[in-house]
């Protein structure tokens, strides 16, 4: 197998590692490309290309994350990860860990970790790398990596219980949610939402967006029911689609261009959070991006006053 073929075979794994460290599709793709350039320029061929390339993409991702964290501190509004519609890496033996770790909720929890803790957690807990490989990848001793892994696991477990969701139950709940959404059924929506459900949008200051999170089943149900049935009147369509391994949808304008994605965080048979990514800078990988400002103006024009 040639060096190029070997790299392409490992590309899905490298992207999936980098995306979980960075929470950004575009930055992960850049990190993988930089990894290839370094691999191509290397005069020697490593004994284990997988271990070598995983280490390189991890180090690049840690460096990128350190500078990205500074930018995220001044981000306008709520920062959310770039939506991932399909994870290119599949491993049946680790499917539960892979799906759980790529959810919006998990990625937001990972934001609380230091770059090193995050990288160690991703390599060890998600992808099952041995501590010798983890230590080599992050440039720390095995003992230090064990401590980093313990700390990271404690933070993650405290923030969100690890669980294996029933996929069919999740899909059925999502179908009921979108039916109620289409019909503007406040009661139907309310019974699907957790009492402390939150609804947040990430526009990055570049789109109309919620000034702050909307919290509570009644408030969220009423807001959803007042807006979404009107979208059909301005020719906005949505297609159900997994977003970050959770039920969601992609919303498009009349020309088929992407306006935003919506992801549902489902736990214990209820929707815990509704998260929308509207920032056009985060949607280019989903497809051609539409003008959400124009859609918002049309929506305001057709929206009737609420009584």
């Amino acid at each position: 197998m040639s060096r190029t073929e070997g790299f392409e075979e490992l590309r899905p794994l490298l992207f999936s590692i980098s995306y979980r460290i960075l929470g950004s599709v575009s930055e992960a793709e850049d990190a993988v490309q930089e990894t290839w350039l370094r691999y191509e320029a290397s005069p020697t061929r490593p004994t284990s290309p997988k271990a070598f390339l995983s280490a390189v993409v991890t180090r690049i991702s840690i460096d990128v994350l350190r500078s990205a964290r500074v930018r995220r501190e001044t981000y306008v509004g709520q920062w959310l990860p770039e939506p991932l519609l399909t994870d290119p890496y599949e491993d049946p033996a680790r499917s539960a860990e892979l799906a759980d770790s790529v959810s919006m909720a998990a990625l937001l929890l990972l934001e609380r970790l230091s770059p090193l803790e995050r990288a160690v957690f991703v390599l060890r807990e998600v992808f099952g790398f041995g501590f010798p490989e983890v230590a080599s990848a992050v440039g720390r001793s095995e003992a230090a990596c064990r401590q980093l892994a313990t700390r990271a696991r404690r933070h993650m477990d405290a923030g969100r219980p690890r669980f294996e969701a029933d996929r069919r139950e999740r899909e059925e709940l999502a179908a009921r949610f979108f039916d109620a959404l289409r019909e503007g059924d406040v009661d139907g929506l309310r019974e699907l939402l957790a009492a402390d459900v939150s609804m947040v949008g990430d526009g990055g200051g570049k789109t109309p967006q919620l000034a702050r999170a909307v919290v509570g089943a009644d408030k969220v149900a009423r807001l959803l029911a007042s807006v979404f049935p009107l979208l059909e009147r301005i020719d906005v369509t949505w297609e159900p689609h997994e977003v970050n391994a959770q039920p969601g949808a992609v919303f498009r304008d009349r020309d088929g261009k992407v306006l935003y994605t919506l992801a549902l965080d489902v736990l214990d048979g209820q929707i815990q959070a509704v998260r929308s990514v509207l920032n056009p800078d985060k949607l280019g990988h989903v497809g051609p991006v539409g003008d959400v400002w124009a859609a918002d103006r049309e929506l305001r024009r057709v929206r009737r006053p609420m009584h």
Side-chain angles (χ1 to χ4, degrees):
M1 184 185 293
S2 71
R3 185 176 286 216
T4 304
E5 289 169 339
F7 182 84
E8 288 305 319
E9 191 173 279
L10 289 165
R11 182 187 286 272
L13 170 64
L14 303 178
F15 171 85
S16 295
I17 290 171
S18 186
Y19 176 77
R20 284 164 174 79
I21 294 174
L22 293 168
S24 165
V25 171
S26 53
E27 289 173 348
E29 288 173 344
D30 289 346
V32 172
Q33 184 59 26
E34 176 64 23
T35 300
W36 162 247
L37 293 175
R38 294 188 190 182
Y39 187 44
E40 188 182 34
S42 172
T44 58
R45 188 150 188 177
T47 310
S48 169
K50 177 184 174 183
F52 175 82
L53 292 169
S54 298
V56 173
V57 83
T58 296
R59 288 175 198 155
I60 291 169
S61 300
I62 289 171
D63 288 342
V64 173
L65 180 59
R66 283 178 173 140
S67 59
R69 283 165 76 100
V70 176
R71 294 195 304 275
R72 288 172 195 175
E73 286 173 5
T74 58
Y75 193 81
V76 178
Q78 170 73 52
W79 181 90
L80 292 176
E82 288 184 13
L84 184 68
L85 300 192
T86 306
D87 188 355
Y89 180 71
E90 295 180 3
D91 179 356
R94 305 195 68 80
S95 58
E97 292 90 342
L98 289 169
D100 187 50
S101 65
V102 85
S103 70
M104 287 270 181
L107 290 170
L108 288 170
L109 274 179
L110 284 166
E111 283 290 305
R112 301 180 188 179
L113 306 182
S114 73
L116 273 180
E117 286 173 342
R118 186 166 181 165
V120 169
F121 182 88
V122 166
L123 291 175
R124 176 65 184 169
E125 299 293 321
V126 179
F127 292 95
F129 280 64
F131 277 112
E133 295 169 295
V134 175
S136 173
V138 303
R140 294 291 188 276
S141 68
E142 285 186 45
C145 288
R146 289 179 189 277
Q147 288 184 326
L148 287 164
T150 299
R151 271 207 307 272
R153 200 180 308 117
R154 192 161 53 235
H155 283 306
M156 294 297 286
D157 289 347
R160 176 184 172 87
R162 305 292 295 274
F163 69 100
E164 207 167 325
D166 183 304
R167 189 184 185 91
R168 185 183 299 173
E169 181 187 351
R170 224 172 45 189
E171 290 172 353
E172 288 174 357
L173 188 146
R176 288 168 59 201
F177 173 84
F178 285 113
D179 285 345
L181 197 63
R182 191 173 280 110
E183 294 163 12
D185 179 0
V186 176
D187 292 335
L189 287 166
R190 193 189 291 116
E191 71 178 33
L192 301 173
L193 302 173
D196 60 348
V197 64
S198 64
M199 180 174 172
V200 295
D202 174 351
K206 301 182 179 184
T207 64
Q209 64 187 66
L210 300 171
R212 59 181 62 84
V214 177
V215 179
D218 190 62
K219 288 181 181 177
V220 171
R222 289 182 183 281
L223 178 60
L224 290 170
S226 70
V227 174
F228 281 80
L230 301 178
L231 294 177
E232 290 183 1
R233 292 174 58 182
I234 63 170
D235 299 321
V236 169
T237 58
W238 70 75
E239 61 204 41
H241 203 297
E242 272 205 346
V243 178
N244 290 78
Q246 290 280 319
V250 178
F251 288 72
R252 300 179 185 273
D253 65 16
R254 59 171 58 94
D255 298 319
K257 293 183 176 178
V258 178
L259 293 173
Y260 52 93
T261 62
L262 183 146
L264 305 176
D265 184 17
V266 180
L267 179 64
D268 295 333
Q270 289 184 308
I271 295 166
Q272 308 290 329
V274 181
R275 298 186 177 94
S276 298
V277 177
L278 305 92
N279 185 341
D281 295 345
K282 295 186 173 186
L283 296 171
H285 61 283
V286 180
V289 180
D291 184 349
V292 74
W293 284 108
D296 184 64
R297 286 194 295 272
E298 284 193 69
L299 192 61
R300 290 176 184 276
R301 198 158 51 238
V302 302
R303 190 173 184 179
R304 292 188 297 273
M306 292 177 64
H307 298 290

